[in-house]
Amino acid sequence: MAQVRLAGLGKTYEGAHANTIDGLDLEVADGEFLVLVGPSGCGKSTTLRMIAGLEEPTAGEIWIGPRRVDGLEPRERDIAMVFQNYALYPHMTVAQNMSFGLRLAKVPKAEIRRRVEAAAETLGLSGYLNRHPKALSGGQRQRVAMGRAIVREPGVFLFDEPLSNLDAQLRGQMRTEIRRLHDQLSATTVYVTHDQVEAMTLADRVVVLKDGKIEQQGSPQELYDRPATRFVAGFLGSPQMNILAGRVTQGMLDLGAESRFALGAERAAPLEGRRVDVGIRPEAFRLAAPETALIHARAEMVELLGATSLVHFTHAGLPCTALLEPTEAPRPGQEVHLGLRPDRISLFDADSGRAV
Amino acid sequence: MTALRKPLALTLVLLLILACFFAPFLWVVSNSFKPQLGIFADVTPISWRTFLPLEPVLENYRTLFERTNILRALLNTAIVSAGQVALTLVLCAMAAYALTRIRFRGAKAVFVVILLTFLLPVEAMLVPLFQVVSGLGLNNTLLGVMIPWIASPFGLFLLKQAFEELPRDLEDAARIDGAGHVRIFVSVILPNVKVPLLTLGLVTFLFSWNSFLWPLVIAQSPDIQLIQVAIAQQGSPTQLPNWGETFAGATVATLPLILLFLLLQKYFTQGMAMSGIKG
Ligand SMILES: Nc1ncnc2c1ncn2[C@@H]1O[C@H](COP(=O)(O)OP(=O)(O)O)[C@@H](O)[C@H]1O
Ligand SMILES: [Mg+2]
């Protein structure tokens, strides 16, 4: 049983003029895979390091399981952490790297051996136990770092951007492996990344962090379908959600450049006369006949990706991308006529950026 | 043609530089095998006779070992040098750890003040040092010879650079693994700064082995005389210096250093290149 609870957690670095983390409240259920995601510098590492005990919070409480742990040493917190650049001890072999913590904790030799061998087996490192880190590839090093965490059999796993030093192919592979490992060990996991693909694919629950505050949290699909703010909408999804400027007049949403469509009375009434930002996912566009189409544009660039194609165009001065079937894709310079599904668009207040 | 000529020119320049550095040593060694008269006769004009003993004699060495207690001086120097190396390494490594790995108020100021002491010439500190060391009752002891130098600003600087280059994550990982400061220092930091440690050890050894002025001041008694002092003082003040014997002493004193360098030169040059400083 190791749920994690952060209550009013705050961190102000010495000499910094603003709070890096500001009143963070968060609960991670036992066995849950929680991904903290956000742009670089938003305080993800700081949060994780406070949970680990590498950084002291300046406000609030941290609970792991039934115990309040802020103020305790990292080793007393029942956690293990995997670092971005692996942080393997260069002078130790793979086996020594993995067993260092157990040896310090005076775990019996036979038990250490059993755990190291089991972890190596799980991670496909059995043949490498006597090698030094410098004789390993990036992916293998990352596995050793994970092995070092696994052998400690912690209640909570902490990951700080563990895949960002790997190339794209290996990243995809390790992503699958981390998720498989989690399903196997079902240990509580807090995973930090700035990569929205990792967040979407790994998480039971995603927490989007911005400027040290929680912007939104929920399942990956919830966040993707119903972003609470323009920031979340832009952050999750690739290619990014398109944001067009609109205005609601007489129940119609006017997107400029002669594009307007009925919004539905229920949705339009409270917004009557207001300016809104209109978020349209690239896949919400559909090819349409010229007379029924909502948007008429000239394809500026077309990327054929095999399974899909991306059509870039400009609408009312704003850049836009539509995701279409490759067979539907126009040639660059051609006219393209698009419709869209009204239920797949998000509206945000033009000033506050909050969903309306 | 030019491709060939360039390395040739370079080689010649290097040989010339080598000759400039090497000639004095050769001269010392060669003169240690000449009788006193021969030394002066061969000085000018400079020819190959200056650098080669045509009729080598061992007399200088015989008198050196018979008349002076050079073995005792060598042993003393070895003890002082080894002790100074050990104490310098321990002290500087611990200070470097504290200054790079433990956050405390005023760390920068402490470092700057330590570096400032580096700027004082040894001569300027001689009298106050003598007072302090005598005050400690370490006058005429081997410990007294080494103690002023073990807190070496140069050593601290060299090791601090090396410590700073180690990723901080290493230490964080060790803390998560349950290591405290002592364990991190011994089991994680030190094994990864072996080359800088070796460099500092070697530079310290050299400095200690060749030191003259301070040992001359603090260790007057013949029992604890160090090698450089012994060589300089072997003649009595009323006699003309016996140059052959002096050169024999210098040769004997240099041999251990040459051996040490040949053994460790790989690490030494690595360390110097890494720190970007010349000792
Ligand atoms: N040790 C530190 N001292 C002062 N400021 C720091 C320190 N570590 C991080 N910060 C600042 O805190 C903010 C958040 O950093 P971090 O948690 O590393 O962000 P992230 O991991 O989300 O990229 C950044 O603005 C960073 O400059
Ligand atoms: Mg970070």
Side-chain angles (χ1 to χ4, degrees):
Chain A
M1 277 300 283
Q3 71 275 48
V4 178
R5 191 160 69 80
L6 312 180
L9 194 66
K11 175 75 185 180
T12 314
Y13 281 108
E14 212 168 310
H17 47 82
N19 297 343
T20 294
I21 300 296
D22 199 5
L24 197 67
D25 291 303
L26 184 63
E27 281 190 41
V28 191
D30 185 39
E32 186 179 23
F33 199 119
L34 182 109
V35 174
L36 264 180
V37 69
S40 178
C42 71
K44 307 178 296 288
S45 295
T46 302
T47 307
L48 201 70
R49 291 169 60 84
M50 284 194 285
I51 300 175
L54 295 172
E55 213 66 73
E56 279 302 312
T58 43
E61 301 174 2
I62 303 171
W63 293 73
I64 293 178
R67 292 185 309 152
R68 183 169 170 188
V69 297
D70 46 298
L72 296 186
E73 283 295 310
R75 65 161 170 271
E76 299 167 307
R77 295 190 180 198
D78 194 23
I79 50 106
M81 183 159 167
V82 177
F83 296 84
Q84 174 175 349
N85 49 20
Y86 324 131
L88 299 179
Y89 311 119
H91 60 295
M92 296 187 197
T93 63
V94 168
Q96 287 166 339
N97 260 286
M98 288 202 221
S99 61
F100 187 59
L102 300 181
R103 281 182 280 144
L104 290 186
K106 304 249 162 21
V107 174
K109 279 221 173 67
E111 172 68 8
I112 293 180
R113 200 149 142 195
R114 188 190 65 73
R115 289 203 211 170
V116 168
E117 277 169 6
E121 179 74 41
T122 313
L123 294 163
L125 288 170
S126 296
Y128 301 93
L129 283 174
N130 291 318
R131 288 217 196 163
H132 281 87
K134 65 171 180 292
L136 298 176
S137 69
Q140 287 166 336
R141 286 178 204 184
Q142 192 56 69
R143 284 200 187 93
V144 177
M146 273 158 49
R148 186 167 61 181
I150 292 171
V151 295
R152 305 190 54 215
E153 300 180 353
V156 182
F157 279 98
L158 305 173
F159 290 89
D160 193 354
E161 312 217 10
L163 305 184
S164 45
N165 282 5
L166 301 177
D167 62 52
Q169 193 189 353
L170 207 52
R171 209 179 302 158
Q173 200 179 320
M174 290 298 287
R175 214 162 56 209
T176 327
E177 211 160 310
I178 288 178
R179 182 67 219 200
R180 179 178 60 81
L181 212 62
H182 174 262
D183 293 341
Q184 192 178 327
L185 303 171
S186 61
T188 312
T189 301
V190 182
Y191 186 104
V192 159
T193 181
H194 69 269
D195 179 357
Q196 52 94 17
V197 179
E198 279 173 36
M200 296 294 287
T201 50
L202 284 171
D204 294 328
R205 183 155 54 107
V206 177
V207 173
V208 181
L209 218 57
K210 184 190 176 207
D211 299 334
K213 292 201 192 70
I214 294 178
E215 187 84 357
Q216 190 181 1
Q217 53 177 308
S219 77
Q221 201 61 47
E222 260 170 57
L223 263 57
Y224 187 81
D225 291 340
R226 288 185 296 283
T229 64
R230 196 170 48 201
F231 174 80
V232 174
F235 195 79
L236 296 180
S238 172
Q240 274 198 358
M241 184 183 255
N242 303 294
I243 305 283
L244 295 177
R247 179 185 286 281
V248 182
T249 44
Q250 295 153 2
M252 302 284 277
L253 179 61
D254 186 350
L255 290 175
E258 314 276 287
S259 300
R260 44 174 40 227
F261 64 96
L263 200 53
E266 202 177 318
R267 217 170 164 194
L271 297 172
E272 186 57 39
R274 273 168 65 180
R275 290 191 305 114
V276 288
D277 282 341
V278 184
I280 308 168
R281 293 273 177 213
E283 66 272 20
F285 287 108
R286 291 282 175 273
L287 212 57
E291 49 282 4
T292 56
L294 181 68
I295 288 173
H296 308 276
R298 191 169 297 281
E300 284 159 10
M301 194 176 79
V302 178
E303 294 177 82
L304 294 170
L305 302 175
T308 59
S309 67
L310 297 177
V311 180
H312 301 277
F313 58 93
T314 307
H315 181 80
L318 294 169
C320 238
T321 304
L323 186 122
L324 301 174
E325 294 286 326
T327 50
E328 300 172 335
R331 280 192 306 281
Q334 240 180 353
E335 281 286 322
V336 58
H337 308 283
L338 299 168
L340 51 80
R341 292 168 49 188
D343 60 319
R344 294 300 309 275
I345 67 171
S346 311
L347 299 179
F348 306 102
D349 184 274
D351 300 316
S352 73
R354 304 211 71 81
V356 288
Chain B
M1 269 314 272
T2 47
L4 262 177
R5 219 180 290 147
K6 255 190 191 158
L8 190 69
L10 201 67
T11 313
L12 284 178
V13 169
L14 280 178
L15 278 178
L16 193 72
I17 293 173
L18 192 69
C20 289
F21 274 98
F22 200 62
F25 286 100
L26 193 62
W27 189 70
V28 166
V29 174
S30 118
N31 284 341
S32 73
F33 291 103
K34 291 179 191 171
Q36 178 92 336
L37 278 179
I39 295 174
F40 290 106
D42 294 342
V43 172
T44 48
I46 293 181
S47 70
W48 49 273
R49 300 172 64 97
T50 318
F51 295 103
L52 281 182
L54 286 187
E55 293 147 14
V57 293
L58 286 175
E59 181 197 324
N60 294 325
Y61 288 90
R62 197 173 307 124
T63 49
L64 178 72
F65 280 94
E66 275 167 11
R67 287 209 344 226
T68 62
N69 205 346
I70 184 122
L71 286 179
R72 180 62 195 250
L74 275 174
L75 181 67
N76 284 342
T77 311
I79 294 172
V80 166
S81 297
Q84 197 170 325
V85 166
L87 292 175
T88 303
L89 289 185
V90 170
L91 218 60
C92 290
M94 285 182 7
Y97 181 85
L99 284 175
T100 55
R101 291 314 215 248
I102 301 174
R103 278 182 233 161
F104 62 95
R105 257 174 213 288
K108 269 226 177 79
V110 169
F111 181 60
V112 168
V113 169
I114 293 174
L115 274 195
L116 280 179
T117 67
F118 199 19
L119 300 179
L120 288 176
V122 173
E123 290 79 2
M125 300 190 290
L126 219 53
V127 173
L129 273 183
F130 182 80
Q131 285 177 334
V132 170
V133 173
S134 319
L136 288 169
L138 295 175
N139 211 342
N140 269 324
T141 63
L142 293 181
L143 186 59
V145 180
M146 60 179 100
I147 207 167
W149 316 110
I150 58 179
S152 152
F154 167 73
L156 176 63
F157 186 72
L158 186 90
L159 293 185
K160 186 169 175 274
Q161 299 293 103
F163 282 24
E164 265 164 5
E165 271 167 34
L166 282 185
R168 224 162 233 289
D169 281 356
L170 269 191
E171 183 195 350
D172 288 339
R175 279 181 67 195
I176 297 222
D177 268 338
H181 279 304
V182 175
R183 171 64 62 184
I184 292 173
F185 178 62
V186 173
S187 301
V188 177
I189 305 270
L190 287 188
N192 288 304
V193 291
K194 278 186 200 139
V195 170
L197 284 177
L198 206 70
T199 306
L200 176 59
L202 216 54
V203 170
T204 305
F205 193 88
L206 196 67
F207 168 78
S208 178
W209 188 272
N210 286 336
S211 63
F212 172 72
L213 192 55
W214 173 250
L216 178 71
V217 170
I218 199 68
Q220 301 95 343
S221 124
D223 298 351
I224 66 153
Q225 223 171 35
L226 299 198
I227 185 73
Q228 307 298 345
V229 179
I231 294 168
Q233 290 193 330
Q234 17 104 346
S236 77
T238 53
Q239 284 176 324
L240 270 178
N242 182 345
W243 288 112
E245 210 179 305
T246 302
F247 291 145
T251 306
V252 168
T254 311
L255 277 181
L257 291 183
I258 292 179
L259 279 179
L260 200 68
F261 263 80
L262 287 182
L263 242 87
L264 300 176
Q265 62 168 336
K266 192 180 96 191
Y267 302 101
F268 186 68
T269 45
Q270 252 180 31
M272 278 301 173
M274 230 175 62
S275 69
I277 314 166
K278 296 276 180 237

